[in-house]
Amino acid sequence: MWYVIEGHDAEGALPRRREARPAHLARLQALRDAGRLLVAGPCPAIDAEDPGPAGFSGSVVIARFDSLAEARAWADADPYVAAGVYMLTDVRPFLPVLR
């Protein structure tokens, strides 16, 4: 099943986000290489492709997991969680209709 994982950035998280980004991307690339990643990316905090110092409000990942528990465990182990980038992470089932 597909799951949407939405991480919500903590206030002032941009420096921590930059530091943890390589490890965060490595996990996403592993999902992609396994054919389990539909889409992933950050949400700019302002209406701009490059938000500069405004940073990001969070990120969205849509990926395939065997269960909700597995998706939550994967999200909880994200380097952005460990670095304090995300203050909250939502995980819920997702049904793609149009691709």
Side-chain angles (χ1 to χ4, degrees):
M1 172 123 195
W2 293 100
Y3 295 89
V4 61
I5 299 168
E6 186 174 8
H8 302 270
D9 280 23
E11 188 73 30
L14 187 57
R16 295 186 303 277
R17 177 183 269 273
R18 287 181 179 142
E19 186 175 317
R21 188 170 190 261
H24 172 77
L25 290 179
R27 294 179 82 234
L28 293 171
Q29 290 164 345
L31 282 178
R32 181 201 59 202
D33 294 348
R36 296 173 47 202
L37 183 65
L38 183 63
V39 67
C43 301
I46 60 173
D47 190 13
E49 285 189 32
D50 180 357
F56 301 90
S57 62
S59 302
V60 174
V61 174
I62 301 177
R64 186 182 298 274
F65 294 94
D66 290 334
S67 67
L68 180 58
E70 182 183 327
R72 282 189 177 136
W74 187 91
D76 288 345
D78 193 290
Y80 281 177
V81 171
V85 174
Y86 294 155
M87 65 176 176
L88 172 70
T89 305
D90 291 324
V91 181
R92 54 195 182 277
F94 179 78
L95 296 174
V97 174
L98 299 173
R99 289 199 252 180

